Amino acid sequence: MTTLSFSPLLPWLVVIPFLVICLGFSTYAVFRRMRGAIPRFLTFLIAGIWLLNPISHRIAYKPGASDVYVVLDESPSMQMAHRQAEARAALEKIRNAAGQESGLNLKIIHATDSGSEGTTLFTDLQNAVTDPRRFAGAIFITDGMVHDAPPRLPRIFAADTGRGPRPLNVVLTGKKEETDRQIMVLEAPTYGIVGKDASIVIKVIDHGSTEKHKAQVSLQAGHAAPQHVTVETGHAETLKVPVKAAGDMPVVIQVSPLQGEMTTANNIETLHINGIRERLKVLLVSGAPNPGERVWRRLLRSDPAVDLVHFTILRAPEQDDGTSTDEMALVVFPTQALFEKKIDQFDLIILDGFKTMGLLPDAYMENIARFVQGGGGLLLLTGPEFLEDGSLKDTPLAQILPATAEAHGVMDRKFVPQLTPLGQRHPVVNGLPPHWGPWYRALNVAPASVKGDVVMKGPDENPSSSSARRERDASPCCFPIRSGSGPVGRGRRPAGATPAPAGPLVDEGASPRSGTTFGPDLREPARHHPAQSATANRRACRGDTA
């Protein structure tokens, strides 16, 4: 291609007036037929061309290097059957063909599965193209399972000046006659009410087959025996899952394989349903009458969503004043019913100033520890008695406590606990008011014994509250040093069975809606235990224990 341009020897402001004057004189001379008009005209014309300095350009194009991108699908679906071998063979042929073309650069993109977004070949290609001007096209080697395919090709494939649209070629692996069965969970609840059924909607799809088949679906919830249901492929089916206990419940749904299918990896689905109770059931056991138990009792009873069972121990087993059992107004502490048979019915256990005093053997303490490890809640409200020999720290509960105190660790001073930066975000304590009254007693926590995250600090930067998790399904374990420790979470049934020991006499508090939560089966005979005076017993049973 040849083009003509001018590069005047003098500025245009000089050349143009000169040419205009020359043209005017020449035209006048020719019109008047003056002698030498034609030679003057030719002279002026040559001078004008010389001043304009015309230049002839010839443009020559030389092909430059072009980039061709090969996107190799390496998602999990490409690992099935012979697809990966076919992909490698296709890539090798493309490399050999590209090597015979001069000026062609072949670039390989390895596209893996991007998690929740699936296989994103187009996104990976656009991220890899650095110079769109050199982009000459792309080749996809895939099984067709692409999750980011746009309705139109991206702009890098569009035509531009001097170039047409770039091509996109796809090499599909696999065969048309391949079949595969897949189970899909269309709807599944995150939570389920204990004692009721949760509904799960599934659909079984036979890819590559237009016929309807009957498939056997196996459903197993937790450790229960699996259920077997016959469903028709291509139709949504609703399965009922009984929620029998609080806490995390894994659910496994598996469908029978299709004859000749490529893989059975997608024949199974796993999900989790969190069993919750309609009401929070709390067991509060006070080791002795104290002003604090009334505060806790009023606090818990003020919430209509809480079912409270409260026992106050008024006399230890070794105390015996000779009172006849017929004159007692107390009940025996039902240790076996609370800490073995029905412990899984509670969501939270609060031990307020509780001393072992031989009341609970280690087997029951282990039941409480397993209850916490399974997701149950435990709150210890304690004081200096926590440092005495034989206290709760010397029982199997020690394995779940997030911290312990030193032997001489009682600090009696006025202080206001402060939330740590982590505590300001922690769900257990972040709702506390910014300004509250002072505290007057703290336990000196052994720094080496802290197993959780410190969320509150007391005097001398001593940890005043720490949080930890006991098991993967357990909720945070909070250890307020002034009051006690405890994770608040979901309950499970602990294993183990031990005979009931002789228990102390207690005052049985009322739940918010009725006298007790469990009814008369929690009461054990009192005739085998020493009694107290009738006057003291009746006064205590009215609830005026503070």
Side-chain angles (χ1 to χ4, degrees):
M1 181 178 179
T2 304
T3 59
L4 182 66
S5 63
F6 296 94
S7 178
L9 302 178
L10 297 176
W12 284 104
L13 295 178
V14 177
V15 174
I16 292 177
F18 175 77
L19 293 178
V20 171
I21 294 173
C22 292
L23 180 62
F25 278 120
S26 300
T27 303
Y28 178 77
V30 172
F31 180 76
R32 297 299 299 259
R33 296 180 181 180
M34 297 176 64
R35 180 185 292 182
I38 299 300
R40 291 191 188 95
F41 176 77
L42 295 177
T43 302
F44 289 150
L45 179 61
I46 294 173
I49 294 175
W50 177 74
L51 288 176
L52 292 176
N53 190 22
I55 300 175
S56 175
H57 297 274
R58 183 176 181 179
I59 302 175
Y61 291 96
K62 181 180 180 181
S66 300
D67 297 335
V68 175
Y69 290 81
V70 178
V71 184
L72 181 60
D73 186 356
E74 295 183 348
S75 60
S77 62
M78 286 289 292
Q79 312 302 321
M80 301 178 184
H82 49 273
R83 296 179 180 180
Q84 194 172 15
E86 292 181 358
R88 288 197 297 265
L91 178 60
E92 189 63 27
K93 292 182 179 180
I94 294 174
R95 281 176 172 170
N96 295 335
Q100 300 176 4
E101 299 289 338
S102 60
L104 187 64
N105 297 329
L106 193 66
K107 297 188 177 183
I108 312 299
I109 302 174
H110 298 272
T112 58
D113 191 275
S114 59
S116 60
E117 298 181 0
T119 305
T120 56
L121 302 187
F122 286 90
T123 302
D124 295 341
L125 172 63
Q126 295 184 76
N127 293 336
V129 175
T130 56
D131 189 357
R133 297 173 300 177
R134 298 180 53 178
F135 177 71
I139 302 175
F140 286 177
I141 304 178
T142 177
D143 58 355
M145 301 292 290
V146 181
H147 300 89
D148 67 337
R152 296 182 179 180
L153 290 178
R155 295 183 59 183
I156 57 176
F157 290 94
D160 55 13
T161 304
R163 303 185 64 178
R166 282 76 162 179
L168 171 63
N169 299 277
V170 179
V171 179
L172 284 177
T173 60
K175 301 178 181 179
K176 290 184 179 180
E177 62 272 13
E178 289 179 337
T179 58
D180 183 52
R181 173 167 288 177
Q182 178 187 8
I183 184 171
M184 300 176 60
V185 177
L186 303 181
E187 297 180 10
T190 306
Y191 297 92
I193 304 298
V194 176
K196 297 183 179 180
D197 293 340
S199 298
I200 301 177
V201 181
I202 66 168
K203 186 177 183 180
V204 179
I205 303 176
D206 287 345
H207 298 283
S209 176
T210 57
E211 299 180 359
K212 301 296 183 181
H213 301 89
K214 296 293 185 180
Q216 294 291 328
V217 175
S218 172
L219 184 146
Q220 184 176 12
H223 300 287
Q227 307 176 25
H228 299 281
V229 182
T230 302
V231 301
E232 185 177 358
T233 60
H235 293 278
E237 301 286 346
T238 301
L239 305 179
K240 298 294 185 179
V241 183
V243 182
K244 298 182 179 180
D248 182 75
M249 179 180 66
V251 179
V252 180
I253 308 174
Q254 188 171 6
V255 65
S256 58
L258 178 65
Q259 184 177 3
E261 68 172 322
M262 293 184 302
T263 179
T264 59
N266 54 358
N267 289 21
I268 186 172
E269 284 284 350
T270 303
L271 52 95
H272 292 263
I273 298 178
N274 186 18
I276 60 175
R277 303 184 187 276
E278 293 184 288
R279 300 174 65 87
L280 182 69
K281 295 185 178 180
V282 180
L283 171 62
L284 172 60
V285 180
S286 300
N290 63 85
E293 68 172 336
R294 175 176 295 180
V295 176
W296 282 103
R297 188 166 173 172
R298 288 179 176 176
L299 175 65
L300 296 172
R301 294 183 63 180
S302 64
D303 190 344
V306 174
D307 282 338
L308 175 64
V309 177
H310 183 198
F311 291 91
T312 300
I313 300 176
L314 298 180
R315 190 185 63 181
E318 65 274 7
Q319 295 176 342
D320 186 3
D321 57 3
T323 304
S324 173
T325 57
D326 297 334
E327 300 179 3
M328 289 198 314
L330 301 180
V331 297
V332 178
F333 188 36
T335 55
Q336 184 178 14
L338 292 176
F339 300 108
E340 180 181 328
K341 295 181 179 180
K342 299 182 180 294
I343 188 173
D344 62 318
Q345 297 187 11
F346 294 103
D347 299 298
L348 172 64
I349 298 177
I350 304 177
L351 301 181
D352 177 19
F354 187 83
K355 299 181 180 180
T356 56
M357 299 180 298
L359 301 180
L360 297 180
D362 288 347
Y364 288 159
M365 291 297 182
E366 292 176 357
N367 284 351
I368 299 177
R370 283 192 292 267
F371 166 78
V372 174
Q373 291 170 342
L378 177 65
L379 177 64
L380 300 185
L381 309 174
T382 185
E385 69 275 3
F386 187 74
L387 306 178
E388 299 176 359
D389 294 336
S391 65
L392 294 176
K393 65 179 176 60
D394 299 321
T395 67
L397 286 182
Q399 60 182 313
I400 64 171
L401 297 181
T404 57
E406 298 178 350
H408 51 284
V410 179
M411 294 184 291
D412 292 323
R413 69 174 72 172
K414 180 180 178 180
F415 70 97
V416 177
Q418 301 294 329
L419 295 179
T420 64
L422 176 62
Q424 296 175 2
R425 306 187 306 270
H426 201 280
V428 173
V429 296
N430 64 356
L432 295 177
H435 304 288
W436 51 4
W439 291 14
Y440 296 90
R441 175 181 292 167
L443 299 182
N444 189 13
V445 176
S449 69
V450 178
K451 306 173 185 177
D453 299 322
V454 178
V455 296
M456 292 178 62
K457 289 187 177 182
D460 302 330
E461 295 297 318
N462 188 57
S464 179
S465 179
S466 65
S467 174
R469 290 181 180 267
R470 292 288 149 246
E471 293 290 337
R472 64 179 181 87
D473 296 330
S475 294
C477 179
C478 180
F479 188 88
I481 304 304
R482 176 176 179 256
S483 300
S485 67
V488 180
R490 305 171 295 278
R492 285 186 178 176
R493 179 184 298 275
T498 53
L505 300 183
V506 299
D507 168 24
E508 183 180 20
S511 68
R513 295 184 297 176
S514 60
T516 63
T517 298
F518 299 104
D521 60 328
L522 282 180
R523 300 177 180 270
E524 297 180 357
R527 57 179 177 271
H528 300 298
H529 304 279
Q532 244 183 347
S533 66
T535 303
N537 295 341
R538 285 193 292 269
R539 182 172 62 252
C541 285
R542 290 198 302 269
D544 301 330
T545 58

